[in-house]
Amino acid sequence: MGFSTTHLIIFLVIIIVIFGTKKLRNIGSDLGGAVKGFKDGMKDGTAEKTAEATPPTNLPPTEKTDAKSAIDVEAKIKS
């Protein structure tokens, strides 16, 4: 029930006659561009995930503050 080599050749000849070589070439280049874009997108997605997982190393030095200039951020509910 499979296709033999002669069946595939006849099928390809019919496709070339119907669509023409120029349209088939355009379809092939469009399909190749889409696959390349998909692969690049997948690489960018994995690069962004690994970049988010690693903490930044170039943080500015922290400054010491005294108790008077510090702000208490803990809020209490008024009743």
Side-chain angles (χ1 to χ4, degrees), residues 27-52:
I27 291 171
S29 63
D30 290 343
L31 183 62
V35 169
K36 183 179 179 188
F38 178 75
K39 286 182 180 179
D40 290 342
M42 293 300 289
K43 287 180 185 177
D44 290 343
T46 57
E48 288 175 4
K49 286 182 182 178
T50 57
E52 291 174 0

Side-chain angles (χ1 to χ4, degrees), residues 56-66 69:
T57 57
N58 55 356
L59 294 175
T62 57
E63 297 179 12
K64 292 185 178 181
T65 58
D66 57 346
S69 64

